[in-house]
Amino acid sequence: YQGFCNTFMAMLPELEERAPWEHKKRIDTDNMPQLRFVDVATWSGGYDAFPATVAAESLPNEQDFREQYGSVNLVFANVQEAITKGGDKIFARDEFISKSAIAQYGHQMSYMGLIMTAAHEIGHASGGVVIDAEPNNHFGKEYSRMEEARAELFSMWTLPILVEKEVITPDQEVAGYYSMVLSMVGALQMAPHDHSGSRNMMFHYFMDKGALVEREEDGKIKYGVNPEAMRSAVSDMLGTIGNIRATGDKEGLERFKSQYLSEARKGEFEKRLEAMPQGRLLIFPTIRMNGEGYTSNLVYPTTFREQTRTLNKFV
């Protein structure tokens, strides 16, 4: 992983120069962001937000602090490895991706998810700004959803360049796209805020551009990736979002959001995912009830598959 960090960070000035947005950020090679893969020993508080699990962190959050003092981008390697091998990811993979795609790319999706998380975190440190304000203050509550989309798209946009540099293989590129498919379909059951909102817009944009294709298999709608269309769609959407952020174009963001942010299929994805194991390898007990009241007895699921959204009366 450290070898990848060194290679990827050495590419950052070139990536910024080639990025599909208009306003470039000046990369100070003497003050580059730090990228590290670390293993988590223990954590609490905001990192334990059932049913999600924090897989990475970029610190500090304030752009002026980052520019003055630098930043550190941490990928929690053992946590992410557990997530991608856990019950909910496997369930979603089998539910939404064809057997042939799983056979060809499934064994690479876990690793590529980890690589793309690293690229995502560095994506937050990319892109120029030409407005005289902090983008997060300028856009307010709309900023997080837009910025998370920009970082997600940046991680996808780097994949063909990593193939070009022989850092990953062509199959790993496509496996990376399928890894993002799982993140997008999982988000469609949620309210479209922050990360889930960014993935919601990406899903509908990719469907509109033919980068994602719906196919029926075993009586279920599954999603295939058109790699050529995906490369084009990722680049176009990344350029659009990057330019909106750089110029503070609130009206442009609102137009884009009105076209591609949608909860029209939320119920469909909720139903398809209702049996998905929850908690990402964390155990959450339920409280045994006695009629209308609660007792002091806790009941633990014996398998992760038993830990579904129907057991959300947890402590």
Side-chain angles (χ1 to χ4, degrees), residues 198-255:
S198 70
R199 293 162 183 166
N200 181 301
M201 292 191 297
M202 290 163 61
F203 174 86
H204 291 103
Y205 189 89
F206 295 157
M207 287 291 295
D208 182 56
K209 304 302 180 182
L212 277 182
V213 180
E214 290 186 335
R215 303 187 178 107
E216 186 172 325
E217 180 180 277
D218 298 332
K220 297 178 180 179
I221 294 177
K222 299 198 174 184
Y223 293 91
V225 170
N226 180 329
E228 184 176 353
M230 182 63 79
R231 294 183 196 106
S232 176
V234 166
S235 183
D236 290 347
M237 185 174 175
L238 178 59
T240 298
I241 295 294
N243 289 333
I244 287 173
R245 173 183 179 270
T247 60
D249 186 3
K250 292 182 180 180
E251 292 182 358
L253 178 59
E254 190 59 35
R255 287 193 300 270

Side-chain angles (χ1 to χ4, degrees), residues 25-210:
K25 180 178 182 178
R26 186 182 69 84
I27 303 296
D28 181 359
T29 55
D30 294 326
N31 187 27
M32 297 275 279
Q34 299 297 307
L35 176 61
R36 295 287 184 270
F37 287 80
V38 298
D39 283 340
V40 173
T42 185
W43 61 17
S44 62
Y47 290 93
D48 262 350
F50 181 88
T53 306
V54 177
E57 180 89 67
S58 294
L59 297 171
N61 291 318
E62 294 79 7
Q63 182 170 329
D64 55 346
F65 273 66
R66 290 200 303 267
E67 292 179 352
Q68 184 172 356
Y69 300 109
S71 62
V72 59
N73 303 271
L74 302 174
V75 179
F76 304 137
N78 58 338
V79 173
Q80 176 116 348
E81 288 168 352
I83 290 172
T84 55
K85 296 174 183 176
D88 59 347
K89 286 290 188 181
I90 300 301
F91 181 96
R93 185 198 68 183
D94 294 344
E95 180 72 17
F96 292 102
I97 297 179
S98 69
K99 293 183 177 70
S100 60
I102 293 172
Q104 185 168 358
Y105 306 112
H107 65 292
Q108 298 278 13
M109 288 167 58
S110 174
Y111 174 73
M112 290 309 300
L114 199 59
I115 293 303
M116 291 172 70
T117 298
H120 171 114
E121 297 306 320
I122 293 300
H124 286 304
S126 68
V129 175
V130 295
I131 55 173
D132 294 327
E134 284 278 347
N136 57 332
N137 294 330
H138 179 78
F139 287 99
K141 66 180 182 179
E142 296 292 336
Y143 178 73
S144 179
R145 178 168 48 212
M146 176 187 68
E147 175 60 15
E148 293 303 333
R150 194 178 70 89
E152 293 278 51
L153 291 161
F154 182 84
S155 76
M156 299 179 75
W157 173 77
T158 64
L159 294 180
I161 300 177
L162 291 173
V163 173
E164 172 191 317
K165 303 290 186 182
E166 298 184 343
V167 178
I168 64 173
T169 68
D171 270 7
Q172 286 176 322
E173 175 195 352
V174 181
Y177 297 143
Y178 274 107
S179 175
M180 188 61 71
V181 170
L182 297 185
S183 296
M184 289 187 291
V185 297
L188 291 171
Q189 64 178 320
M190 303 176 186
H193 306 305
D194 302 331
H195 287 81
S196 60
S198 70
R199 293 162 183 166
N200 181 301
M201 292 191 297
M202 290 163 61
F203 174 86
H204 291 103
Y205 189 89
F206 295 157
M207 287 291 295
D208 182 56
K209 304 302 180 182

